[in-house]
Amino acid sequence: MASSDKPEVVERDVKEKGHKEDDKEEGKGGFIEKVKDFIHDIGEKIEETIGFGKPTADVTAVHIPKINLERADIVIDVLIKNPNPIPIPLIDINYLVESDGRKLVSGLIPDSGTIHAHGEETVKIPVTLIYDDIKNAYDDIKPGMIIPYKIKVDLIVDVPVFGRLTLPLEKNGEIPIPYKPDIDLEKIKFERFSFEETVAILHLKLENKNDFDLALNSLDYEVWLSNVSIGAAELTKSAKIDKNGISYIDIPITFRPKDFGSALWDMIRGKGTGYTMKGHIDVDTPFGAMKLPISKEGGTTRLKKNKEDGGDDDDDDED
C-alpha cells in the first residue's frame, strides 16, 4: 500500500507547484497592470494639476503681397494657441497647395520656433507659386483664368505628457493666373500742330483678357512712331476694364514732327504709320494690386488733325 501511495504524492506535489507558478504569473501580471494604472493616474493628476493640454491652431488669413505675370507670393497666417504652463517647440511645418486635387507646390519648414507658455503666436508661412511651372504641368490651366486652391498645413509640435502631435489644417480659396492686357494705339489726334512742337492725344484701346476686372490707377509708357521716340511719361489715370472687356483711354503727349524726316509726310497725308509702345499699368484687382506690362510692336496708327488746324475732326472715320 505504501508503494501504491507514492504516485499520488508526486502528482499532488506537481499540481501544487503548478498552482504556485500560476499564482506567481498572475501576481506579476496584476502588479504590472497596477503599475500601468498608477502611472496613468499619476499622469492624469499631473495634467490636471499643472494644466497640460493639447494646443490648437487655425488658418486666420491668406495674403497675396505680390502677384505678377511670373509668380504669386502667398503668406498663410496660422494662429497657434498653447494652453500649457511651459513653451512648446514647433518642430516642423509641412504644407501643400493643390488645385482640384493636383499639386501646385509643397514644402517643409523645419525648426519653426516656439509657442510661449499660456500664449498664442501667429506663424506666417511663405509660399511661392511659379506660373510657368503650373502651366507646363497642366495644359488646361491657361493665362487669364481663376483657379481654385486648397492649402493643407501640418503643424508638428512636441507637448509634455502627450508627446509629438500633428495639427492638420486646411483652407480653400481662389487665385488668378494673370494675363497681360492687349493694347492698340488706334489714332493720334492733334490738339495743336506745328513743325516745332505738336500737342496730341493718344487714343488707346486696352483689352482685358482676364476673368477678373482691372481697375486702372496709373500707367507709364514710351511711344515710337516710324522708329523715332515721340515721348515717354508717367501719369495717373483712372478707368475700369471689365473682365474680358475693352476700355478706351486718352493720354496727352507732346512731340516735334520735324524729327520724323520723310515719314512726316506720310503721317500728314493720313497714311498708316508704324508705331511701337511699351510700358506698364498699375491696377487693382480682387486679388490685390498688380503691375502689368503693356506692349505693342509693329502696329499701325494714323494721325488726325483738328478742324482749326486744317484737319477733319469727324471721329467716325476711324480705322
Side-chain angles (χ1 to χ4, degrees), residues 289-300:
M290 298 186 194
K291 191 179 185 73
L292 301 175
I294 52 174
S295 64
K296 181 78 171 185
E297 297 187 48
T300 300

Side-chain angles (χ1 to χ4, degrees), residues 64 146 174 176 211-215 284-290:
I64 307 177
I146 299 174
E174 291 183 328
D211 291 337
F212 51 91
D213 296 343
L214 302 178
D284 288 329
T285 77
F287 308 95
M290 298 186 194

Side-chain angles (χ1 to χ4, degrees), residues 20 138 143 156 162 208 239 290:
K20 289 180 181 179
Y138 308 113
I156 302 173
F162 295 99
N208 178 12
M290 298 186 194

Side-chain angles (χ1 to χ4, degrees), residues 20-280:
K20 289 180 181 179
E21 292 296 329
D22 290 341
D23 291 341
K24 286 181 181 180
E25 290 299 324
E26 289 178 4
K28 287 181 181 179
F31 177 74
I32 292 174
E33 290 301 320
K34 288 179 181 178
V35 170
K36 287 181 178 179
D37 291 340
F38 176 76
I39 293 174
H40 178 73
D41 292 341
I42 290 295
E44 287 186 343
K45 294 297 182 185
I46 292 174
E47 181 182 338
E48 292 173 3
T49 304
I50 301 180
F52 282 112
K54 293 182 180 179
T56 59
D58 184 40
V59 177
T60 56
V62 176
H63 309 282
I64 307 177
K66 182 178 180 181
I67 186 168
N68 53 37
L69 296 183
E70 290 78 32
R71 59 190 280 174
D73 292 335
I74 301 173
V75 177
I76 308 162
D77 288 351
V78 177
L79 178 64
I80 308 174
K81 297 182 179 180
N82 176 19
N84 299 291
I86 61 173
I88 60 172
L90 181 53
I91 299 172
D92 288 323
I93 298 175
N94 289 301
Y95 65 84
L96 167 69
V97 182
E98 62 181 24
S99 179
D100 294 329
R102 300 177 297 184
K103 185 181 83 169
L104 302 181
V105 67
S106 63
L108 168 68
I109 304 175
D111 302 326
S112 303
T114 301
I115 313 302
H116 298 301
H118 294 304
E120 58 184 45
E121 294 281 340
T122 296
V123 177
K124 296 184 178 294
I125 306 172
V127 177
T128 297
L129 298 180
I130 305 298
Y131 289 131
D132 278 348
D133 293 344
I134 296 172
K135 289 180 287 187
N136 291 337
Y138 308 113
D139 293 337
D140 59 322
I141 296 180
K142 305 293 184 183
M145 294 178 61
I146 299 174
I147 62 172
Y149 70 75
K150 176 179 287 186
I151 296 173
K152 296 181 178 181
V153 177
D154 284 339
L155 304 175
I156 302 173
V157 296
D158 195 356
V159 183
V161 178
F162 295 99
R164 186 168 292 197
L165 299 176
T166 298
L167 307 178
L169 306 170
E170 288 188 3
K171 187 76 171 180
N172 296 316
E174 291 183 328
I175 195 164
I177 311 292
Y179 194 57
K180 73 174 185 177
D182 273 358
I183 186 170
D184 279 315
L185 177 52
E186 292 203 324
K187 64 181 179 180
I188 303 175
K189 184 176 180 180
F190 293 154
E191 293 292 305
R192 188 176 69 250
F193 180 82
S194 75
F195 289 107
E196 290 297 327
E197 183 179 80
T198 290
V199 178
I201 301 295
L202 305 182
H203 293 268
L204 299 182
K205 173 186 175 183
L206 285 171
E207 183 177 0
N208 178 12
K209 294 192 172 185
N210 295 285
D211 291 337
F212 51 91
D213 296 343
L214 302 178
L216 177 66
N217 295 317
S218 63
L219 71 158
D220 63 82
Y221 63 91
E222 184 171 4
V223 181
W224 292 262
L225 293 178
S226 300
N227 297 319
V228 177
S229 174
I230 66 171
E234 296 183 16
L235 57 90
T236 300
K237 196 75 177 179
S238 296
K240 180 185 177 184
I241 314 174
D242 292 332
K243 63 180 181 180
N244 299 306
I246 294 173
S247 183
Y248 297 88
I249 61 173
D250 294 339
I251 55 177
I253 196 166
T254 301
F255 62 96
R256 303 201 313 170
K258 70 177 186 178
D259 293 337
F260 290 86
S262 60
L264 172 63
W265 305 112
D266 289 336
M267 290 187 287
I268 292 177
R269 293 188 188 104
K271 292 184 177 180
T273 303
Y275 76 91
T276 296
M277 186 172 187
K278 295 181 179 180
H280 299 86

